[in-house]
Amino acid sequence: MEEHNVEFSGWRLARLSSFRIGSAMVEILATSIWNRVMISTLGVPATAVGLLLGMRYFLAPFSVWVGHRSDTIPLWGYYRTNYIWLGRFLTVLCLPFLALSLMRLEVDQSDPLGWGLAIFCALLYALGSVLTGSPFLALVRDSAPPKRQGFSISTTETAFIIFIALAGIGFAQWMETY
């Protein structure tokens, strides 16, 4: 078996994990808090909110295609990195539009622009998740020597799971109203 000459360190793993910490924070804002405000505060039917939030699961099969593409076709000169950053850009871009959709729907729940913004946000978030997922896990895997690849992936995913809880608690403290 060929040995990889990949420099592996705790610092590199911490940097990779920090990306997942950011993912956890966006996940809480874009799904949990938005879900809570739409259903509990605004009284929007849960079915409509669930369908919007479920959009990323309908697009999930494309993550296999994106993963293959990020390994074989460079995007702006890089294979995985730019796919990951484009996906992250889309997920973060959805946040201000989510706030705008909430502002519009708070005034009028049948506002077409408010619903258009909500659909647009759900689509941005779904596309961002698809673009980021497979390329990021492949990057984490390839950032470690073969004997440490499973450890690297499990560490970054554990950081995500832990920070989902911590972000939820933190945002709950910062936004007590919601």
Side-chain angles (χ1 to χ4, degrees), residues 17-34 88 91-92 94-95 98 125 159-171 174-175:
S17 294
S18 71
F19 185 85
R20 292 302 280 157
I21 292 168
S23 298
M25 294 174 77
V26 171
E27 177 83 17
I28 292 297
L29 286 170
T31 60
S32 299
I33 293 173
W34 186 75
R88 177 49 52 95
T91 57
V92 171
C94 85
L95 296 176
L98 278 176
Y125 188 77
F160 177 72
I161 292 166
I162 290 169
F163 277 89
I164 282 279
L166 293 177
I169 292 167
F171 289 140
W174 295 332
M175 296 184 263

Side-chain angles (χ1 to χ4, degrees), residues 70-169:
S70 73
D71 284 346
T72 58
I73 301 170
L75 179 65
W76 304 307
Y78 292 93
Y79 286 92
R80 292 185 183 130
T81 308
N82 285 339
Y83 286 87
I84 294 165
W85 285 115
L86 176 60
R88 177 49 52 95
F89 172 75
L90 294 176
T91 57
V92 171
L93 181 63
C94 85
L95 296 176
F97 291 110
L98 278 176
L100 287 173
S101 75
L102 286 173
M103 288 173 28
R104 303 235 9 143
L105 292 172
E106 182 179 33
V107 174
D108 178 11
Q109 287 184 19
S110 61
D111 179 28
L113 182 57
W115 281 106
L117 286 169
I119 292 166
F120 177 68
C121 294
L123 184 60
L124 280 178
Y125 188 77
L127 289 172
S129 295
V130 166
L131 283 169
T132 302
S134 294
F136 180 74
L137 287 176
L139 179 70
V140 171
R141 180 189 171 277
D142 289 347
S143 293
K147 292 181 181 177
R148 305 293 288 179
Q149 289 172 347
F151 174 75
S152 297
I153 291 171
S154 64
T155 300
T156 58
E157 293 308 294
T158 299
F160 177 72
I161 292 166
I162 290 169
F163 277 89
I164 282 279
L166 293 177
I169 292 167

Side-chain angles (χ1 to χ4, degrees), residues 18-61:
S18 71
F19 185 85
R20 292 302 280 157
I21 292 168
S23 298
M25 294 174 77
V26 171
E27 177 83 17
I28 292 297
L29 286 170
T31 60
S32 299
I33 293 173
W34 186 75
N35 179 13
R36 168 91 167 92
V37 171
M38 288 286 283
I39 296 169
S40 295
T41 305
L42 301 183
V44 173
T47 303
V49 176
L51 286 172
L52 288 174
L53 292 176
M55 191 179 304
R56 70 179 173 164
Y57 300 109
F58 290 117
L59 295 179

